[in-house]
Amino acid sequence: MGMLTIGAFARACRLSPKALRLYDELDLLRPARVDPDTGYRYYAAEQLEQARLVAWLRRLGMPLAEIRQVCRVHDSDSTAAAREIRAYWARVEAETAVRRDLAAFLVDHLTADSSESGRDTMMLELRYSAHSDTGRVRPANQDTAYAGTRLLAVADGFGPAGAPASSAAVEALRFLDTDEIPAGGILNVLEDAVRCAAQAVRDVADGNDDIGTTLTALLWTGSRLALVHIGDSRAYLLRDGELFRITHDHTMVQSMVDEGRLTAEEAGSHPQRALLLKALTGGNADTLPDLRLHDAHPGDRYLLCSDGLSAVVPEERIRDLLASCPAPQTTVESLVAAANDAGGPDNVSCVVADLLAAAA
């Protein structure tokens, strides 16, 4: 097959002539020949594969700069090009998940008042315990754990002032344990509280981006638990004997798992498994945390923990300890002991809270 005119090429690859002219200007898809007198563009049949790839990627919504990179890689290594596309789509799904969670949060927030009269009026209360331990290796404890009648929180500090950073982040939330939350105002209250926590960390770090902390907290609203999460500390729910992780690690290895570049087993031993993509740090601008609402069921048990537990104690063992220890205090002690029995390479902090029917 000889040269194709821009019109014929456009029909074959399903890109408009206008798009082809733009991609020529952007050095994304150059024509094989341009008539020196008329400026008319001609394309070789061999360019159809690249043009169709560009068309498909545009339908995915990929930005032109990233399409250029995929095409450049594709010329020499189609497998590498596939990895680029997989990584892009993993980012899209992650961003969509954040927006989906916020949308669900808003729906719950806006319908709470109208649905409250139809909800089960059983009064529930939290029974809780928190424990933090230095571990067997670290010289000092940079974690902070807190449990109160409405607020549960774990923060894992890092850097030369990690302990003050984690303490400042949790302290900035402690007003939630005592102040009355305005009806229908939980979303605004949480947003303001995390902003205050971020500023408190920046004040401690004094502009040093190497100082910061994770933050995972649950706020009891009387009928639901509201979750705030940033970093790689975790929140788990034990319900009817099943353990569910309700947070998503903001780490490099978790993003690689999401993109299909690592298995969960490989991530557990990866040398960069502690590298955070999101945290409250001294030099960052406002970083959006994950926000979610969870309906409460009598008998639910929640665990918040730093990675000093989750990195060394398998989830199956965590589930067994949560299911077998009746009181929150003995449970947190058993979880910390399990981490130390596994070598205790890091500080370990745990908060355990049970949702129980309030005494009459």
Side-chain angles (χ1 to χ4, degrees), residues 22-237:
L22 173 63
Y23 299 158
D24 180 12
E25 294 171 6
L26 296 176
D27 196 24
L28 179 60
L29 185 61
R30 292 288 196 183
R33 185 173 73 84
V34 177
D35 189 288
D37 297 321
T38 64
Y40 208 72
R41 296 170 174 84
Y42 294 89
Y43 293 82
E46 293 78 13
Q47 293 181 278
L48 281 172
E49 181 181 359
Q50 182 178 358
R52 287 167 180 154
L53 176 61
V54 171
W56 291 330
L57 294 175
R58 286 301 289 160
R59 289 174 194 167
L60 281 180
M62 183 179 285
L64 290 174
E66 295 191 49
I67 291 177
R68 184 182 296 110
Q69 173 63 19
V70 171
C71 291
R72 184 180 300 118
V73 171
H74 179 260
D75 289 341
S76 57
D77 187 348
S78 60
T79 301
R83 285 198 299 268
E84 293 283 342
I85 297 169
R86 187 183 299 115
Y88 164 75
W89 193 246
R91 292 196 304 273
V92 171
E93 289 184 323
E95 292 164 3
T96 302
V98 170
R99 294 197 297 272
R100 179 199 63 217
D101 291 341
L102 182 56
F105 192 105
L106 286 167
V107 168
D108 281 341
H109 165 65
L110 294 172
T111 59
D113 289 342
S114 61
S115 64
E116 196 65 34
S117 60
R119 290 173 61 85
D120 187 352
T121 57
M122 177 187 293
M123 294 299 295
L124 300 176
E125 65 180 14
L126 287 177
R127 302 281 178 83
Y128 51 82
S129 184
H131 185 47
S132 185
D133 190 86
T134 304
R136 299 279 177 83
V137 175
R138 297 293 175 88
N141 192 352
Q142 294 189 309
D143 286 1
T144 298
Y146 176 83
T149 56
R150 293 198 302 193
L151 178 68
L152 314 169
V154 166
D156 181 355
F158 55 86
S166 68
S167 178
V170 173
E171 187 65 29
L173 301 186
R174 288 199 45 183
F175 76 94
L176 297 170
D177 213 18
T178 56
D179 288 5
E180 286 297 322
I181 298 173
I186 185 64
L187 180 61
N188 291 332
V189 169
L190 283 173
E191 186 177 26
D192 291 343
V194 175
R195 188 177 295 114
C196 289
Q199 184 57 56
V201 172
R202 285 195 289 270
D203 291 342
V204 167
D206 194 23
N208 187 343
D209 205 30
D210 293 330
I211 297 172
T213 185
T214 69
L215 180 63
T216 301
L218 286 168
L219 177 64
W220 174 235
T221 69
S223 59
R224 296 178 176 89
L225 281 158
L227 170 72
V228 177
H229 168 69
I230 186 167
D232 65 348
S233 295
R234 291 181 177 180
Y236 291 92
L237 166 64

Side-chain angles (χ1 to χ4, degrees), residues 130-146 153-157 163 166 304-309 312 331-351:
H131 185 47
S132 185
D133 190 86
T134 304
R136 299 279 177 83
V137 175
R138 297 293 175 88
N141 192 352
Q142 294 189 309
D143 286 1
T144 298
Y146 176 83
V154 166
D156 181 355
S166 68
L304 275 61
C305 64
S306 62
D307 66 340
L309 176 73
V312 297
T331 306
V332 294
E333 291 170 353
S334 297
L335 290 165
V336 170
N340 284 329
D341 289 344
D346 199 356
N347 309 146
V348 55
S349 294
C350 299
V351 173

